[in-house]
Amino acid sequence: MQRHDEPSDDSTVMRKSFSVELWPARNPSGQDRLVAMFELLEKLRPDFTSVTYGAGGSTRDRTQELVNELVGKDWSYPVAHITCVGHSRAELTSILLEYQRHGVEHVLALRGDHPRDSDADLSRSELKHAIELVELAKSLGFRSVGVAAHPQGHPESDSLERDREFLARKLEIADYALTQFYFDADAYPRLVDDLARLGSEKPIVAGVMAPKSWNSLSKMALLSGTHLPEDLAERFATTSDFEALGIEVAIALAQSALSDGAPGIHLYTMNSALSTAVIFEALAKELGRDDV
Ligand code: FAD
């Protein structure tokens, strides 16, 4: 992970990274949301901007277009997500080399989830785990290769201990991890402590999401294996303003992770300029970014 700006020269404020995730647009209204995001991000100057990749290659062209659009922006640099599923090694190599030809130097290496509504041929998945993709990207000379970390364990894992061991191995070669979103504030320091016990000291950036609706929250939590604490589920189920509560929860989780020593916050923006602006403003002081 590399900072976009120089750290603040105010020695009393240690700058923490602030990064965002974007989705490639699917239709014209999605494109309008991206335009609004770009206008906002130019002001916020995130340390990096990551772009999701539809596992199986479903967003391959749109992801590449968006990543390429971010190359050379003076307010951030792109981190291209790339996933193993549905691709041969040769295809993954070709996607990575194509990025390099466009000046992309940073990738997030993921396994991906098997897409249910895609006709991608999964028997073509030659790389079974993200660690193999980290090795491939590293062998091609990317400046940084990040990985996913699952604070509450990956849903397919036999046990939390095994999942932590695999993550620690992945982090021996990767440069940093971005966490999956989570709603139990203790999950972040537990993850960092477990990794430290396994001898892994690489930066673990806390991933934070402001859920927008009960429907999307339950779908995403199910897919990612994220536990929603009962009291929070009750608040989400009964609130009259779901989005405002989502933002409040995201801010509280980010503040908690920063006070637990997180080196930065990665915001799953879902391309919402409004919630990104509110969350950034609330965190600016803790991030050492109250100049914005
Ligand atoms: P892995 O590290 O391969 O782990 C997957 C499972 O295999 C885990 O249970 C792990 O314990 C186990 N495992 C790992 N290594 C081994 C081994 N050697 N032997 C046996 N078991 C092993 N998905 C997308 O499709 N597109 C995206 O753009 C995307 N972006 C993401 C961004 C972030 C920050 C995060 C946190 C997730 C993202 N995902 C994305 C979701 C991700 O692809 C899924 O969570 C996926 O199920 C696991 O990916 P991974 O890279 O953690 O896989």
Side-chain angles (χ1 to χ4, degrees), residues 23-116:
W23 291 336
R26 234 181 299 185
N27 50 35
S29 78
Q31 193 54 41
D32 291 346
R33 286 163 67 84
L34 263 184
V35 170
M37 280 304 295
F38 268 57
E39 280 169 11
L40 174 70
L41 295 180
E42 193 169 356
K43 291 185 205 123
L44 304 189
R45 307 180 71 82
D47 288 281
F48 62 88
T49 301
S50 83
V51 179
T52 62
Y53 185 87
S58 58
T59 68
R60 180 171 171 172
D61 293 346
R62 285 180 285 132
T63 297
Q64 284 185 331
E65 270 167 37
L66 181 53
V67 169
N68 294 342
E69 202 181 333
L70 284 158
V71 176
K73 296 275 182 224
D74 68 354
W75 44 263
S76 196
Y77 65 83
V79 172
H81 296 203
I82 176 163
T83 63
C84 306
V85 299
H87 286 310
S88 65
R89 178 181 289 274
E91 273 170 347
L92 291 167
T93 306
S94 140
I95 295 167
L96 289 166
L97 290 175
E98 181 71 14
Y99 275 131
Q100 285 185 329
R101 269 195 292 281
H102 282 89
V104 178
E105 299 180 307
H106 307 273
V107 290
L108 188 70
L110 303 144
R111 188 200 67 180
D113 285 312
H114 298 170
R116 273 159 291 180

XYZ file of all heavy atoms in Angstrom, residues 23-116:
748
model
N -17.703 0.811 -8.006
C -18.194 -0.236 -8.903
C -18.233 0.341 -10.313
O -18.631 1.510 -10.474
C -19.651 -0.591 -8.577
C -19.904 -1.277 -7.290
C -19.023 -2.015 -6.574
C -21.151 -1.326 -6.568
N -19.636 -2.519 -5.453
C -20.936 -2.112 -5.423
C -22.414 -0.793 -6.781
C -21.951 -2.373 -4.500
C -23.419 -1.052 -5.860
C -23.199 -1.834 -4.732
N -17.924 -0.455 -11.329
C -18.141 0.059 -12.686
C -19.643 0.236 -12.929
O -20.444 -0.540 -12.396
C -17.564 -1.031 -13.591
C -17.304 -2.219 -12.740
C -17.382 -1.831 -11.306
N -20.015 1.254 -13.696
C -21.443 1.520 -13.925
C -22.047 0.466 -14.851
O -21.380 -0.042 -15.737
C -21.610 2.896 -14.545
N -23.336 0.173 -14.587
C -24.037 -0.830 -15.393
C -24.935 -0.189 -16.458
O -25.304 -0.791 -17.428
C -24.927 -1.664 -14.463
C -24.670 -3.144 -14.602
C -25.563 -3.949 -13.717
N -25.330 -3.618 -12.308
C -25.923 -4.251 -11.314
N -26.775 -5.216 -11.548
N -25.666 -3.917 -10.072
N -25.345 1.071 -16.188
C -26.309 1.726 -17.079
C -26.126 3.252 -16.971
O -25.305 3.715 -16.171
C -27.734 1.312 -16.677
C -27.951 1.509 -15.177
O -27.421 2.455 -14.590
N -28.691 0.617 -14.557
N -26.877 4.036 -17.744
C -26.664 5.488 -17.735
C -26.840 6.124 -16.349
O -26.092 7.035 -15.982
C -27.709 6.016 -18.720
C -27.960 4.851 -19.642
C -27.804 3.623 -18.801
N -27.793 5.647 -15.547
C -27.952 6.295 -14.227
C -26.754 5.929 -13.331
O -26.293 6.740 -12.518
C -29.300 5.951 -13.582
O -29.255 4.671 -13.027
N -26.224 4.717 -13.515
C -25.013 4.338 -12.786
C -23.837 5.215 -13.215
O -22.980 5.571 -12.406
N -23.814 5.561 -14.491
C -22.748 6.423 -14.995
C -22.847 7.818 -14.358
O -21.833 8.416 -13.991
C -22.853 6.504 -16.531
C -21.648 7.107 -17.221
C -20.324 6.424 -16.849
O -20.262 5.198 -16.735
N -19.290 7.219 -16.616
N -24.084 8.315 -14.187
C -24.268 9.628 -13.542
C -23.745 9.595 -12.107
O -23.147 10.554 -11.617
C -25.762 10.010 -13.492
C -26.300 10.299 -14.886
O -25.478 10.463 -15.815
O -27.536 10.339 -15.037
N -23.982 8.464 -11.435
C -23.503 8.357 -10.044
C -21.972 8.369 -10.008
O -21.357 8.953 -9.118
C -24.027 7.054 -9.401
C -25.510 7.126 -9.068
C -26.077 5.735 -8.838
N -25.559 5.081 -7.643
C -26.027 5.264 -6.426
N -27.026 6.101 -6.242
N -25.513 4.627 -5.406
N -21.380 7.731 -11.013
C -19.908 7.720 -11.066
C -19.349 9.114 -11.321
O -18.330 9.502 -10.745
C -19.434 6.785 -12.180
C -19.049 5.372 -11.785
C -18.521 4.631 -12.994
C -17.988 5.365 -10.675
N -20.040 9.867 -12.179
C -19.591 11.245 -12.461
C -19.624 12.051 -11.151
O -18.676 12.769 -10.819
C -20.485 11.902 -13.550
C -20.202 13.388 -13.666
C -20.267 11.203 -14.887
N -20.698 11.882 -10.383
C -20.802 12.599 -9.091
C -19.689 12.147 -8.143
O -19.103 12.954 -7.404
C -22.172 12.359 -8.469
N -19.384 10.843 -8.174
C -18.294 10.335 -7.309
C -16.962 10.969 -7.711
O -16.178 11.379 -6.860
C -18.168 8.813 -7.430
C -19.137 7.983 -6.638
S -19.171 8.291 -4.864
C -17.578 7.788 -4.284
N -16.692 11.032 -9.005
C -15.425 11.612 -9.462
C -15.309 13.065 -9.000
O -14.245 13.501 -8.563
C -15.326 11.528 -11.000
C -14.636 10.286 -11.484
C -15.106 9.024 -11.134
C -13.512 10.346 -12.296
C -14.471 7.866 -11.574
C -12.872 9.191 -12.749
C -13.355 7.949 -12.389
N -16.419 13.816 -9.105
C -16.371 15.228 -8.686
C -16.037 15.334 -7.202
O -15.238 16.156 -6.779
C -17.717 15.909 -8.958
C -17.861 16.297 -10.412
C -19.273 16.731 -10.769
O -20.095 16.942 -9.851
O -19.544 16.835 -11.983
N -16.639 14.448 -6.415
C -16.373 14.467 -4.969
C -14.939 14.024 -4.667
O -14.217 14.649 -3.883
C -17.366 13.543 -4.249
C -17.105 13.366 -2.758
C -17.423 14.661 -2.002
C -17.921 12.219 -2.176
N -14.520 12.933 -5.307
C -13.201 12.361 -4.980
C -12.063 13.310 -5.360
O -11.012 13.312 -4.722
C -13.029 10.991 -5.664
C -14.005 9.911 -5.170
C -13.768 8.602 -5.902
C -13.902 9.705 -3.661
N -12.300 14.120 -6.359
C -11.283 15.109 -6.730
C -11.017 16.045 -5.551
O -9.902 16.498 -5.340
C -11.791 15.884 -7.951
C -10.713 16.683 -8.600
C -11.146 17.239 -9.950
O -12.270 16.943 -10.405
O -10.335 17.974 -10.524
N -12.066 16.299 -4.767
C -11.889 17.166 -3.582
C -11.300 16.378 -2.419
O -10.448 16.861 -1.690
C -13.238 17.748 -3.140
C -13.786 18.755 -4.109
C -15.068 19.386 -3.546
C -15.940 19.886 -4.693
N -17.271 19.339 -4.735
N -11.779 15.138 -2.219
C -11.348 14.370 -1.045
C -9.955 13.764 -1.205
O -9.310 13.429 -0.226
C -12.352 13.242 -0.744
C -13.812 13.637 -0.527
C -14.611 12.443 -0.030
C -13.948 14.796 0.451
N -9.507 13.582 -2.435
C -8.188 13.016 -2.729
C -7.911 11.738 -1.927
O -7.000 11.698 -1.077
C -7.083 14.052 -2.458
C -7.294 15.381 -3.171
C -6.198 16.368 -2.878
N -4.958 16.006 -3.517
C -4.643 16.247 -4.765
N -5.506 16.874 -5.553
N -3.487 15.875 -5.263
N -8.695 10.682 -2.184
C -8.443 9.427 -1.456
C -7.048 8.893 -1.770
O -6.533 9.110 -2.866
C -9.518 8.469 -1.991
C -9.971 9.059 -3.275
C -9.771 10.547 -3.179
N -6.461 8.186 -0.817
C -5.101 7.675 -1.031
C -5.066 6.704 -2.206
O -4.084 6.654 -2.930
C -4.589 7.010 0.248
C -4.300 8.068 1.289
O -3.253 8.702 1.202
O -5.172 8.304 2.140
N -6.115 5.899 -2.341
C -6.258 5.117 -3.566
C -7.733 4.806 -3.794
O -8.550 4.944 -2.877
C -5.402 3.832 -3.554
C -5.752 2.838 -2.482
C -6.717 1.872 -2.685
C -5.073 2.862 -1.257
C -7.019 0.946 -1.706
C -5.377 1.938 -0.266
C -6.357 0.978 -0.488
N -8.044 4.426 -5.021
C -9.424 4.144 -5.396
C -9.452 2.757 -6.010
O -8.808 2.518 -7.034
C -9.905 5.195 -6.430
O -9.786 6.492 -5.837
C -11.349 4.958 -6.831
N -10.153 1.841 -5.344
C -10.166 0.479 -5.879
C -11.434 0.270 -6.708
O -12.459 0.912 -6.469
C -10.039 -0.540 -4.745
O -11.281 -0.797 -4.149
N -11.333 -0.611 -7.698
C -12.455 -0.836 -8.608
C -12.781 -2.326 -8.643
O -11.894 -3.157 -8.906
C -12.117 -0.351 -10.040
C -13.286 -0.606 -10.976
C -11.748 1.131 -10.031
N -14.044 -2.660 -8.367
C -14.436 -4.067 -8.269
C -14.429 -4.748 -9.641
O -14.535 -4.101 -10.683
C -15.834 -4.227 -7.656
O -16.778 -3.575 -8.503
C -15.905 -3.657 -6.260
N -14.334 -6.076 -9.574
C -14.289 -6.920 -10.771
C -15.332 -8.009 -10.604
O -15.324 -8.706 -9.580
C -12.886 -7.538 -10.868
C -12.634 -8.355 -12.109
C -12.191 -7.740 -13.270
C -12.834 -9.731 -12.119
C -11.949 -8.489 -14.415
C -12.594 -10.486 -13.257
C -12.141 -9.851 -14.405
O -11.896 -10.580 -15.541
N -16.242 -8.148 -11.535
C -17.268 -9.202 -11.440
C -16.624 -10.564 -11.623
O -16.045 -10.829 -12.674
N -16.700 -11.402 -10.574
C -16.042 -12.707 -10.648
C -16.534 -13.465 -11.879
O -17.714 -13.421 -12.216
C -16.318 -13.506 -9.381
N -15.617 -14.131 -12.547
C -15.966 -14.820 -13.787
C -15.788 -13.909 -14.992
O -15.982 -14.319 -16.126
N -15.448 -12.650 -14.733
C -15.171 -11.727 -15.840
C -16.384 -10.940 -16.294
O -16.348 -10.257 -17.312
N -17.493 -10.991 -15.498
C -18.732 -10.350 -15.945
C -18.587 -8.834 -16.132
O -19.348 -8.237 -16.881
C -19.872 -10.662 -14.974
O -19.530 -10.223 -13.685
N -17.650 -8.190 -15.433
C -17.476 -6.734 -15.614
C -16.102 -6.419 -16.202
O -15.637 -5.283 -16.088
C -17.610 -5.962 -14.281
O -16.485 -6.306 -13.438
C -18.895 -6.271 -13.552
N -15.492 -7.435 -16.804
C -14.091 -7.267 -17.231
C -13.837 -5.950 -17.986
O -12.974 -5.160 -17.615
C -13.693 -8.459 -18.091
C -12.280 -8.408 -18.585
C -11.929 -9.727 -19.234
N -10.656 -9.662 -19.919
C -10.048 -10.721 -20.447
N -10.601 -11.904 -20.343
N -8.901 -10.599 -21.060
N -14.614 -5.699 -19.045
C -14.371 -4.504 -19.863
C -14.669 -3.227 -19.077
O -13.912 -2.265 -19.126
C -15.240 -4.526 -21.135
C -14.810 -5.658 -22.048
O -13.719 -6.214 -21.829
O -15.586 -5.997 -22.964
N -15.810 -3.245 -18.343
C -16.193 -2.020 -17.608
C -15.210 -1.730 -16.474
O -14.894 -0.578 -16.189
C -17.623 -2.155 -17.064
C -18.659 -1.991 -18.167
C -20.061 -2.108 -17.659
N -20.438 -3.480 -17.353
C -21.030 -3.866 -16.231
N -21.318 -2.993 -15.299
N -21.348 -5.125 -16.031
N -14.721 -2.795 -15.821
C -13.727 -2.580 -14.758
C -12.466 -1.976 -15.370
O -11.928 -0.986 -14.849
C -13.386 -3.911 -14.049
O -14.565 -4.407 -13.415
C -12.303 -3.727 -12.992
N -12.028 -2.553 -16.490
C -10.794 -2.044 -17.100
C -10.958 -0.591 -17.532
O -10.069 0.229 -17.311
C -10.395 -2.920 -18.291
C -9.784 -4.239 -17.823
C -9.247 -5.113 -18.955
O -9.746 -5.048 -20.059
N -8.258 -5.932 -18.652
N -12.123 -0.271 -18.108
C -12.343 1.124 -18.553
C -12.257 2.092 -17.376
O -11.634 3.146 -17.465
C -13.735 1.264 -19.169
C -13.765 1.010 -20.657
C -15.193 0.848 -21.146
O -16.093 1.550 -20.638
O -15.401 -0.019 -22.018
N -12.920 1.716 -16.273
C -12.934 2.622 -15.112
C -11.536 2.744 -14.498
O -11.095 3.843 -14.135
C -13.956 2.111 -14.079
C -14.135 2.923 -12.810
C -14.430 4.397 -13.108
C -15.272 2.348 -11.958
N -10.846 1.623 -14.403
C -9.482 1.666 -13.854
C -8.602 2.548 -14.738
O -7.884 3.432 -14.248
C -8.887 0.241 -13.748
C -7.401 0.293 -13.441
C -9.611 -0.562 -12.673
N -8.701 2.346 -16.052
C -7.863 3.129 -16.966
C -8.190 4.619 -16.879
O -7.310 5.464 -17.020
C -8.019 2.630 -18.407
C -7.481 1.211 -18.560
O -6.722 0.738 -17.719
N -7.890 0.525 -19.619
N -9.476 4.920 -16.627
C -9.869 6.331 -16.497
C -9.206 6.974 -15.269
O -8.942 8.167 -15.243
C -11.394 6.372 -16.363
C -12.007 7.699 -16.743
C -13.530 7.680 -16.565
O -14.150 6.588 -16.646
O -14.074 8.767 -16.318
N -8.949 6.139 -14.264
C -8.366 6.673 -13.024
C -6.840 6.849 -13.118
O -6.250 7.566 -12.310
C -8.684 5.733 -11.849
C -10.114 5.813 -11.318
C -10.481 4.541 -10.566
C -10.270 7.026 -10.398
N -6.245 6.184 -14.102
C -4.776 6.301 -14.234
C -4.447 7.748 -14.601
O -5.080 8.330 -15.467
C -4.236 5.368 -15.354
C -2.733 5.574 -15.549
C -4.520 3.926 -15.024
N -3.464 8.289 -13.891
C -3.025 9.634 -14.265
C -3.827 10.743 -13.613
O -3.512 11.923 -13.777
N -4.906 10.412 -12.882
C -5.609 11.456 -12.129
C -4.649 11.932 -11.040
O -3.984 11.103 -10.406
C -6.868 10.902 -11.451
C -7.922 10.413 -12.419
C -8.807 11.537 -12.871
C -9.885 11.054 -13.807
N -10.108 11.879 -14.991
N -4.625 13.219 -10.775
C -3.657 13.649 -9.768
C -4.233 13.575 -8.356
O -3.576 13.909 -7.392
C -3.105 15.048 -10.086
C -4.173 16.108 -9.941
O -5.345 15.741 -9.709
O -3.847 17.307 -10.055
N -5.491 13.080 -8.220
C -6.094 13.044 -6.885
C -6.148 11.649 -6.282
O -6.573 11.475 -5.142
C -7.476 13.684 -6.873
C -8.388 13.325 -8.013
C -8.583 14.055 -9.153
C -9.239 12.169 -8.147
N -9.487 13.431 -9.979
C -9.908 12.285 -9.390
C -9.494 11.065 -7.350
C -10.817 11.322 -9.836
C -10.391 10.111 -7.786
C -11.043 10.249 -9.014
N -5.727 10.635 -7.003
C -5.739 9.278 -6.448
C -5.016 8.376 -7.434
O -4.620 8.828 -8.509
C -7.183 8.783 -6.276
O -7.247 7.654 -5.424
N -4.826 7.125 -7.070
C -4.378 6.164 -8.081
C -5.266 4.922 -7.979
O -5.828 4.647 -6.915
C -2.886 5.814 -7.933
C -2.520 5.088 -6.666
C -2.686 3.707 -6.560
C -2.016 5.764 -5.572
C -2.349 3.034 -5.401
C -1.679 5.096 -4.399
C -1.849 3.737 -4.327
O -1.524 3.071 -3.176
N -5.433 4.195 -9.072
C -6.340 3.049 -9.037
C -5.697 1.773 -8.515
O -4.513 1.515 -8.754
C -6.733 2.867 -10.513
C -5.587 3.402 -11.285
C -4.929 4.471 -10.442
N -6.517 0.989 -7.825
C -6.163 -0.380 -7.456
C -7.207 -1.263 -8.146
O -8.397 -1.159 -7.852
C -6.210 -0.582 -5.924
C -6.043 -2.054 -5.579
C -5.142 0.253 -5.235
N -6.750 -2.073 -9.094
C -7.683 -2.896 -9.867
C -7.926 -4.212 -9.142
O -6.981 -4.951 -8.857
C -7.090 -3.168 -11.250
N -9.210 -4.511 -8.843
C -9.529 -5.836 -8.289
C -9.430 -6.848 -9.431
O -9.798 -6.546 -10.569
C -10.968 -5.900 -7.762
C -11.243 -5.003 -6.606
N -12.283 -5.240 -5.730
C -10.660 -3.870 -6.166
C -12.315 -4.290 -4.809
N -11.340 -3.433 -5.058
N -8.988 -8.034 -9.102
C -8.987 -9.112 -10.099
C -9.246 -10.422 -9.361
O -8.793 -10.600 -8.227
C -7.670 -9.122 -10.923
C -7.650 -10.306 -11.878
C -6.428 -9.067 -10.071
C -6.628 -10.173 -12.990
N -10.029 -11.300 -9.971
C -10.433 -12.532 -9.277
C -10.051 -13.783 -10.077
O -10.054 -13.767 -11.310
C -11.964 -12.558 -9.036
O -12.629 -12.573 -10.291
C -12.438 -11.357 -8.247
N -9.795 -14.858 -9.337
C -9.377 -16.125 -9.965
C -10.509 -16.830 -10.707
O -10.272 -17.461 -11.736
C -8.900 -17.118 -8.899
S -7.623 -16.546 -7.793
N -11.741 -16.762 -10.161
C -12.781 -17.693 -10.639
C -13.133 -17.500 -12.112
O -13.252 -16.380 -12.596
C -14.081 -17.649 -9.799
C -13.857 -18.028 -8.363
C -14.763 -16.335 -9.910
N -13.267 -18.650 -12.785
C -13.695 -18.643 -14.183
C -12.600 -18.292 -15.170
O -12.861 -18.221 -16.368
N -11.391 -18.042 -14.709
C -10.296 -17.666 -15.614
C -9.175 -18.699 -15.591
O -8.873 -19.272 -14.541
C -9.674 -16.329 -15.191
C -10.531 -15.134 -15.496
N -11.087 -14.911 -16.731
C -10.899 -14.077 -14.726
C -11.775 -13.776 -16.708
N -11.686 -13.255 -15.497
N -8.546 -18.860 -16.743
C -7.326 -19.674 -16.788
C -6.162 -18.790 -16.339
O -6.281 -17.559 -16.292
C -7.072 -20.156 -18.216
O -6.812 -19.027 -19.042
N -5.042 -19.411 -16.062
C -3.837 -18.649 -15.684
C -3.432 -17.694 -16.822
O -3.066 -16.550 -16.595
C -2.697 -19.621 -15.366
C -1.380 -18.950 -15.007
C -0.314 -19.979 -14.731
N -0.574 -20.677 -13.474
C -0.195 -20.240 -12.279
N 0.499 -19.138 -12.169
N -0.480 -20.918 -11.195
N -3.558 -18.203 -18.061
C -3.161 -17.373 -19.212
C -4.053 -16.131 -19.313
O -3.576 -15.027 -19.602
C -3.244 -18.199 -20.486
N -5.351 -16.312 -19.048
C -6.264 -15.146 -19.107
C -5.919 -14.136 -18.025
O -5.904 -12.921 -18.272
C -7.711 -15.607 -18.900
C -8.389 -16.038 -20.174
C -9.732 -16.713 -19.903
O -10.026 -17.061 -18.737
O -10.449 -16.911 -20.876
N -5.668 -14.639 -16.816
C -5.326 -13.719 -15.722
C -4.042 -12.970 -16.057
O -3.933 -11.757 -15.821
C -5.189 -14.494 -14.398
C -6.511 -15.050 -13.851
C -6.255 -16.047 -12.729
C -7.411 -13.916 -13.353
N -3.085 -13.686 -16.623
C -1.817 -13.042 -16.993
C -2.084 -11.954 -18.033
O -1.562 -10.831 -17.929
C -0.825 -14.085 -17.562
O -0.688 -15.138 -16.621
C 0.526 -13.465 -17.856
N -2.949 -12.261 -18.975
C -3.213 -11.284 -20.030
C -3.939 -10.047 -19.469
O -3.640 -8.913 -19.850
C -3.961 -12.005 -21.144
O -4.954 -11.235 -21.671
N -4.871 -10.252 -18.535
C -5.564 -9.102 -17.920
C -4.549 -8.244 -17.156
O -4.532 -7.007 -17.264
C -6.690 -9.584 -16.961
C -7.788 -10.305 -17.746
C -7.279 -8.422 -16.169
C -8.781 -11.083 -16.885
N -3.674 -8.899 -16.412
C -2.683 -8.150 -15.618
C -1.714 -7.385 -16.532
O -1.384 -6.219 -16.271
C -1.925 -9.105 -14.689
C -2.750 -9.649 -13.511
C -2.035 -10.834 -12.840
C -3.024 -8.557 -12.472
N -1.294 -8.033 -17.617
C -0.355 -7.353 -18.529
C -1.032 -6.170 -19.223
O -0.421 -5.123 -19.443
C 0.194 -8.346 -19.565
C 1.146 -9.410 -19.013
C 1.538 -10.408 -20.099
C 2.402 -8.769 -18.400
N -2.316 -6.349 -19.529
C -3.087 -5.254 -20.151
C -3.129 -4.046 -19.196
O -2.958 -2.907 -19.605
C -4.502 -5.782 -20.445
C -5.445 -4.816 -21.117
C -5.084 -4.539 -22.574
O -4.261 -5.293 -23.131
O -5.600 -3.554 -23.120
N -3.342 -4.329 -17.905
C -3.311 -3.237 -16.922
C -1.952 -2.540 -16.939
O -1.865 -1.317 -16.929
C -3.607 -3.760 -15.507
C -5.089 -3.860 -15.213
C -5.647 -4.994 -14.672
C -5.934 -2.787 -15.486
C -7.004 -5.082 -14.414
C -7.289 -2.859 -15.234
C -7.817 -4.004 -14.702
O -9.156 -4.066 -14.455
N -0.920 -3.337 -16.940
C 0.426 -2.724 -16.914
C 0.654 -1.847 -18.136
O 1.233 -0.777 -18.040
C 1.499 -3.804 -16.807
C 1.573 -4.375 -15.405
C 2.705 -5.367 -15.226
O 3.080 -6.059 -16.168
N 3.231 -5.444 -14.022
N 0.147 -2.285 -19.290
C 0.300 -1.480 -20.510
C -0.379 -0.126 -20.347
O 0.028 0.858 -20.935
C -0.305 -2.204 -21.723
C 0.695 -3.079 -22.457
C 0.196 -3.490 -23.833
N -0.930 -4.405 -23.774
C -0.813 -5.711 -23.537
N 0.375 -6.250 -23.360
N -1.871 -6.485 -23.486
N -1.444 -0.081 -19.525
C -2.147 1.193 -19.300
C -1.593 1.955 -18.109
O -2.175 2.947 -17.674
C -3.645 0.934 -19.096
C -4.375 0.688 -20.373
N -4.519 -0.567 -20.918
C -4.961 1.546 -21.251
C -5.183 -0.469 -22.061
N -5.448 0.793 -22.281
N -0.519 1.478 -17.519
C 0.103 2.217 -16.413
C -0.467 1.895 -15.041
O -0.224 2.633 -14.078
N -1.236 0.812 -14.923
C -1.787 0.432 -13.601
C -0.707 -0.338 -12.840
O -0.153 -1.308 -13.361
C -3.055 -0.441 -13.775
C -3.598 -0.880 -12.426
C -4.100 0.320 -14.578
N -0.442 0.104 -11.617
C 0.676 -0.493 -10.872
C 0.253 -1.234 -9.617
O 1.083 -1.812 -8.923
C 1.639 0.628 -10.452
C 2.223 1.385 -11.629
C 3.152 2.482 -11.178
O 2.728 3.302 -10.339
O 4.287 2.507 -11.641
N -1.050 -1.171 -9.298
C -1.524 -1.725 -8.023
C -2.759 -2.593 -8.252
O -3.702 -2.158 -8.924
C -1.888 -0.595 -7.054
C -0.768 0.399 -6.893
N 0.238 0.244 -5.973
C -0.502 1.537 -7.567
C 1.084 1.256 -6.069
N 0.665 2.057 -7.030
N -2.751 -3.795 -7.672
C -3.930 -4.672 -7.807
C -4.329 -5.257 -6.459
O -3.514 -5.330 -5.523
C -3.681 -5.842 -8.808
C -3.600 -5.350 -10.236
C -2.470 -6.659 -8.438
N -5.599 -5.653 -6.389
C -6.116 -6.385 -5.231
C -6.438 -7.782 -5.733
O -7.291 -7.945 -6.621
C -7.382 -5.695 -4.698
C -7.936 -6.216 -3.380
C -7.003 -5.850 -2.215
C -9.329 -5.644 -3.108
N -5.734 -8.790 -5.210
C -5.845 -10.158 -5.730
C -6.841 -10.954 -4.889
O -6.632 -11.169 -3.693
C -4.474 -10.834 -5.710
N -7.906 -11.412 -5.555
C -9.013 -12.072 -4.843
C -9.340 -13.413 -5.495
O -9.074 -13.604 -6.690
C -10.269 -11.186 -4.941
C -10.087 -9.773 -4.400
C -10.877 -8.787 -5.244
C -10.491 -9.704 -2.950
N -9.959 -14.278 -4.710
C -10.440 -15.505 -5.335
C -11.733 -15.253 -6.100
O -11.950 -15.763 -7.176
C -10.702 -16.585 -4.272
C -11.018 -17.928 -4.895
C -11.732 -18.850 -3.939
N -13.063 -18.359 -3.613
C -13.906 -18.972 -2.795
N -13.533 -20.093 -2.196
N -15.113 -18.482 -2.545
N -12.613 -14.419 -5.509
C -13.935 -14.204 -6.115
C -14.925 -15.235 -5.619
O -14.548 -16.274 -5.073
N -16.206 -14.901 -5.764
C -17.273 -15.846 -5.426
C -17.831 -16.389 -6.716
O -17.901 -15.678 -7.710
C -18.379 -15.145 -4.634
C -17.923 -14.894 -3.207
O -17.408 -15.843 -2.589
O -18.070 -13.754 -2.736
N -18.268 -17.628 -6.676
C -18.815 -18.213 -7.895
C -20.121 -17.514 -8.228
O -21.059 -17.578 -7.452
C -19.027 -19.721 -7.697
C -17.742 -20.426 -7.415
N -17.656 -21.721 -7.009
C -16.472 -19.987 -7.494
C -16.388 -22.054 -6.841
N -15.656 -21.007 -7.123
N -20.180 -16.807 -9.349
C -21.385 -16.033 -9.656
C -22.558 -16.957 -9.962
O -22.432 -17.870 -10.776
C -20.987 -15.207 -10.885
C -19.726 -15.805 -11.396
C -19.158 -16.727 -10.378
N -23.703 -16.699 -9.296
C -24.863 -17.578 -9.494
C -25.579 -17.279 -10.807
O -26.098 -18.128 -11.465
C -25.853 -17.408 -8.336
C -25.503 -18.309 -7.177
C -26.125 -17.809 -5.908
N -25.495 -16.561 -5.495
C -25.827 -15.883 -4.420
N -26.788 -16.280 -3.661
N -25.182 -14.784 -4.103
